[in-house]
């Protein structure tokens, strides 16, 4: 198991950018999946993107072409670069590590104003 700490959220205008970071307390080298989820008020938590330990990636249709996920195993951190942000991207963004275990971070708030 690892503890995950997200950072980088904030308030940004539509069209702006943010980069989220997810720092793990231990090695992520062998963790099969690292990903980002988000939850908007009154809605279910949804998968935004994930990256495998092979570095293959998946993106939800709503963020394709705008978000980029990456992982740096040397510093045990996963990133989510978010460009061309829209008000509908607003929510709490959670980092998740899964495979052998299933660990979640506490979340970081992203608010996109119109």
């Amino acid at each position: 198991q690892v503890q995950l700490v997200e950072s980088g959220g904030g308030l940004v205008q539509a069209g702006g950018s943010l980069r989220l970071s997810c720092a793990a307390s231990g090695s992520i080298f062998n963790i099969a999946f690292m990903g980002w989820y988000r939850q908007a008020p009154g809605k279910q938590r949804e998968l935004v993107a994930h990256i495998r330990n092979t570095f293959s990636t998946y993106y939800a249709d709503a963020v394709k072409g705008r978000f980029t996920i990456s992982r740096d195993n040397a510093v045990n951190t996963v990133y989510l670069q978010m460009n061309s942000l829209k008000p509908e991207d607003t929510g709490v963004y959670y980092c998740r590590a899964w495979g052998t275990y299933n660990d979640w971070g506490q979340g970081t708030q992203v608010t996109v104003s119109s």
Side-chain angles (χ1 to χ4, degrees), residues 75-97:
V75 293
N76 300 318
T77 302
V78 177
Y79 304 98
L80 186 68
Q81 177 66 43
M82 306 187 294
N83 298 327
S84 302
L85 283 161
K86 304 176 181 180
E88 51 264 42
D89 295 317
T90 293
V92 179
Y93 283 68
Y94 298 90
C95 181
R96 181 188 179 198

Side-chain angles (χ1 to χ4, degrees), residues 17-20 66-70 79-83:
S17 298
L18 284 173
R19 188 176 83 151
L20 305 182
R66 300 188 297 122
F67 291 11
T68 303
I69 189 170
S70 60
Y79 304 98
L80 186 68
Q81 177 66 43
M82 306 187 294
N83 298 327

Side-chain angles (χ1 to χ4, degrees), residues 3-4 12-13 19 27 34 39 49-50 54-55 60 90-91 100 104 111:
Q3 280 72 52
L4 303 172
V12 64
Q13 288 190 330
R19 188 176 83 151
S27 175
M34 297 290 300
Q39 188 165 20
H50 69 61
T54 58
F55 294 91
T90 293
T100 303
W104 291 85
T111 303

Side-chain angles (χ1 to χ4, degrees), residues 46-61:
E46 63 178 0
L47 175 63
V48 174
H50 69 61
I51 183 167
R52 299 192 65 167
N53 53 359
T54 58
F55 294 91
S56 65
T57 57
Y58 163 86
Y59 296 94
D61 287 344

